[in-house]
Amino acid sequence: MPELRRAAEPDLPSIGALARWVWCDRYVEEGLTPAVARYLDEHFAPAVLGAHLAQQPHWVAKSDDGALIGWVQLDAGSAGPDLPAGAVELQRLYVLPTQQRRGLGRRLLRQARGQWPARPLWLSVWEGNGDALRFYRREGGEVWGETWFELDGQRHRNLVLGWPPLEARRT
């Protein structure tokens, strides 16, 4: 069974490589354009990931031989219109394509939800990513709205899905 643990600085190069692989597998249909290459550098370079890791929790899944096979990135400080107060963003949940459909995504999602159990969790998913939408809906995610992702002048509709808190807030 894969090990789940908090990410650490030595994980950053592997996280960056995994993120690029999964992102390209899901979103690159016509080849790597300069805009895509810039996006990957701006979001998945180890220095960028390290700055975020210093402020927000990341979780990694490692295979029995220590290879990185999954990653979760959270952001408790992101906010958007029409989101419940205190909602935490699940910015990324990436599983190596060869390791998908084995329960790892479910474990990573549960870990993300359990990080702040008294707060709602939300994410945005490209409407064309049917596998992800089916997975999140199967795991109880409900559509809360929509948002748009823009890259190189093209807008892509994303659905905002969310979960209520795992536990009621204590007063």
Side-chain angles (χ1 to χ4, degrees), residues 26-39:
R26 286 293 159 192
Y27 305 116
V28 175
E29 296 175 336
E30 301 295 323
L32 289 168
T33 65
V36 167
R38 276 191 308 277
Y39 178 87

Side-chain angles (χ1 to χ4, degrees), residues 7 18 22-23 26 28 32-33 41-42 58 69 71 96 103 116 120 123 168:
L18 172 82
V22 172
W23 201 91
R26 286 293 159 192
V28 175
L32 289 168
T33 65
D41 283 343
E42 290 170 1
H58 292 230
I69 57 174
W71 167 57
L96 198 68
W116 288 289
L123 56 83

Side-chain angles (χ1 to χ4, degrees), residues 2-6 18 58-62 68-74 90 92-96 99-100 103-115 121 135-136 139:
E3 171 196 15
L4 225 56
R5 66 167 173 77
R6 287 284 293 258
L18 172 82
H58 292 230
W59 291 86
V60 293
K62 297 266 186 141
L68 184 77
I69 57 174
W71 167 57
V72 168
Q73 178 182 9
L74 298 170
L90 175 57
R92 294 181 179 90
L93 188 160
Y94 288 174
V95 174
L96 198 68
Q99 298 296 314
Q100 293 174 2
L104 183 56
R106 179 178 297 118
R107 284 185 64 207
L108 289 166
L109 179 59
R110 287 182 183 156
Q111 183 64 49
R113 292 195 68 204
Q115 182 68 40
L121 183 76
F135 166 73
Y136 291 123
E139 294 301 315

Side-chain angles (χ1 to χ4, degrees), residues 9-22:
E9 190 171 331
D11 297 315
L12 295 175
S14 296
I15 291 171
L18 172 82
R20 290 167 189 260
W21 182 353
V22 172

Side-chain angles (χ1 to χ4, degrees), residues 9 26 48 58 64 69 79 105 118 120-121 144 153 155 169-170:
E9 190 171 331
R26 286 293 159 192
V48 173
H58 292 230
D64 292 339
I69 57 174
L121 183 76
W144 286 359
R155 293 183 65 196
R169 291 186 188 267
R170 293 175 173 80

Side-chain angles (χ1 to χ4, degrees), residues 19 77 88 101-103 106:
V88 175
R101 293 179 177 80
R102 297 181 183 188
R106 179 178 297 118

